[in-house]
Amino acid sequence: MSTQENILFANSAGESLIMEYFDQGRCPIYASFFGCMGCAVAMIFSSLGAAYGIAKSGIGISAVSVLRPDMMIRNLMPPILAGILAIYGLVVAVVISSTLKEKVALHTSFMQLSAGLSVGLCCLSAGFCIGIVGDAGVRATGQQPRMFVGMMMMLIFAEVLAIYGLIVGLLLLTSAENGVTDCSRGY
């Protein structure tokens, strides 16, 4: 079929609608769903990672603060770094939501979904890492204060995993609408 051939549809009111085959393949009516899912998974998975990192490292802080209350403020770095993970997801979710449209190319929606998955899953894995390293590191720092620098280095490496996902997600979003089908014309 050439792109000039038309497909005839009837809506619920019995009116006939003509949709070009070209539009049906590249601009389906369900395409915006994938962009919305990208927005949602960016927030959901990054918040899950942040929540796990805060909860797991918070357990260690609570345990150490009983014996060493003077180290509580110093040991708040793991939950702070875990909380930043949700901000990464929020940034990508806001960028995606600002470009959501009813009629959008399937390519653009898949790029938005990929960006959301990229940042969301990277933040989830970084949150697991921050939580486990933060819990063990805070407990070790409570017994030997010189362990603080080593714990911070491991936490920074864990945070960088989420930054990588953020960078890839933003790169995907910047190229999501370059050279794609214009779906703004009416059906």
Side-chain angles (χ1 to χ4, degrees), residues 2 5 22 49 74 77 86 89 92 95-96 109 116 120 126 137 140 149 174 180:
S2 72
E5 294 182 31
F22 182 76
R74 184 177 185 187
M77 285 308 294
V92 171
V95 172
I96 292 172
S109 288
V149 174
T174 57
V180 297

Side-chain angles (χ1 to χ4, degrees), residues 33-53:
F33 169 78
F34 296 108
C36 294
M37 285 304 296
C39 183
V41 298
M43 232 15 263
I44 291 168
F45 287 140
S46 63
S47 294
L48 282 173
Y52 182 84

Side-chain angles (χ1 to χ4, degrees), residues 43 47 56 83 85 118 120 126 136 150 153 155 171:
M43 232 15 263
S47 294
K56 183 78 170 152
L85 298 176
S118 171
M153 291 299 294
L155 290 173
L171 286 173

